Amino acid sequence: MIKNGDLVEIVNLEKTALVLSDTYCTVFTTKDLNSLTEIDGKLLNRTLISSEVLVVDLLFENKIYKKVPISTLKRVR
């Protein structure tokens, strides 16, 4: 499990970053454009789909990135 202080590699970039937080859970939402019809004029004809994702905060190239999914990271040490 990835934790605070770990050095991780960002998948597909082959660059390393430092983990600044312990793993925590957050909710991401996405708009599903293919479902529901308009119920009344005030509602969008879209539904929000949410999913819980395990994330960490990272220090990468002198910038702090919040809520980075751990599925995109590989622990180096």
Side-chain angles (χ1 to χ4, degrees):
M1 183 59 110
I2 293 174
K3 61 185 184 309
N4 187 5
D6 284 346
L7 190 62
V8 293
E9 183 177 292
I10 301 168
V11 177
N12 297 328
L13 279 184
E14 297 181 8
K15 294 188 177 186
T16 57
L18 179 65
V19 178
L20 298 177
S21 69
D22 286 325
T23 303
Y24 60 97
C25 189
T26 191
V27 175
F28 285 100
T29 58
T30 55
K31 291 182 179 179
D32 181 5
L33 301 175
N34 298 322
S35 65
L36 293 183
T37 57
E38 190 171 309
I39 296 170
D40 70 42
K42 296 179 184 174
L43 295 176
L44 293 174
N45 60 351
R46 301 178 182 137
T47 186
L48 289 178
I49 298 174
S50 65
S51 57
E52 292 181 347
V53 179
L54 293 175
V55 296
V56 292
D57 298 340
L58 290 180
L59 175 63
F60 177 66
E61 295 183 346
N62 296 324
K63 292 183 183 176
I64 295 175
Y65 293 88
K66 303 252 183 205
K67 298 182 180 180
V68 178
I70 64 169
S71 60
T72 63
L73 306 171
K74 183 174 81 174
R75 187 172 180 247
V76 176
R77 61 181 172 117

